[in-house]
């Protein structure tokens, strides 16, 4: 992806304690996105949230290891839709959303 173009933003909502093949699920998702050449991915840890079971997860508890995590992955619609099929095998439970976005890249050469 270069310059100014349309893309798709995939958001995946999981818990910090979710695992896939022995590692944190959010980490596995990001590594899989990188291995498949997607444009970019970031994991963001929340400090308060709830999911499908309506149980509150909060950073107020000093030893909380089950905080909400949102993974964002951006690329073309074609690549994101293919990646969704990969995710089906990784997610036991969770929520994902898709959003059309406009990508604007800046580079040192553009200045």
């Amino acid at each position: 992806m270069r310059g100014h173009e349309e893309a798709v933003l995939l958001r995946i909502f999981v818990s910090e304690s979710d695992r896939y093949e022995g590692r944190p699920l959010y980490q596995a998702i990001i590594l899989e996105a990188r291995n498949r050449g997607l444009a970019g991915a970031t994991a963001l840890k929340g400090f308060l949230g709830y999911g499908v079971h309506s149980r509150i997860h909060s950073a107020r508890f000093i030893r909380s290891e089950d905080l909400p995590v949102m993974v964002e992955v951006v690329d073309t619609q074609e690549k994101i839709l293919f990646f969704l099929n990969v995710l089906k095998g990784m997610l036991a439970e969770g929520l994902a959303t898709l959003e059309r976005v406009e990508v604007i890249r800046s580079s040192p050469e553009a200045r």
Side-chain angles (χ1 to χ4, degrees):
M1 295 171 40
R2 294 280 178 236
H4 182 90
E5 61 190 87
E6 287 189 19
V8 172
L9 175 64
L10 168 62
R11 285 192 182 110
I12 307 144
F13 299 87
V14 297
S15 291
E16 185 179 20
S17 63
D18 291 342
R19 293 277 195 254
Y20 180 75
E21 295 183 350
R23 68 170 36 134
L25 177 59
Y26 62 88
Q27 183 182 50
I29 292 169
I30 289 192
L31 292 175
E32 191 64 32
R34 185 184 67 180
N35 290 341
R36 293 181 179 273
L38 283 108
T42 301
L44 306 161
K45 187 189 295 190
F47 58 90
L48 181 65
Y50 70 93
V52 68
H53 302 294
S54 297
R55 189 170 52 115
I56 296 290
H57 304 268
S58 172
R60 281 186 21 193
F61 305 108
I62 295 177
R63 293 190 177 187
S64 178
E65 294 179 1
D66 198 22
L67 294 173
V69 176
M70 179 176 63
V71 180
E72 294 189 334
V73 183
V74 67
D75 209 308
T76 63
Q77 180 173 345
E78 180 182 1
K79 286 184 176 182
I80 292 293
L81 291 177
F82 182 81
F83 191 63
L84 275 173
N85 287 322
V86 173
L87 282 177
K88 288 178 185 177
M90 298 175 77
L91 295 173
E93 180 174 272
L95 172 74
T97 63
L98 293 173
E99 180 179 335
R100 291 184 191 273
V101 295
E102 198 168 321
V103 175
I104 303 168
R105 288 199 175 202
S106 62
S107 65
E109 299 85 36
R111 292 180 187 173

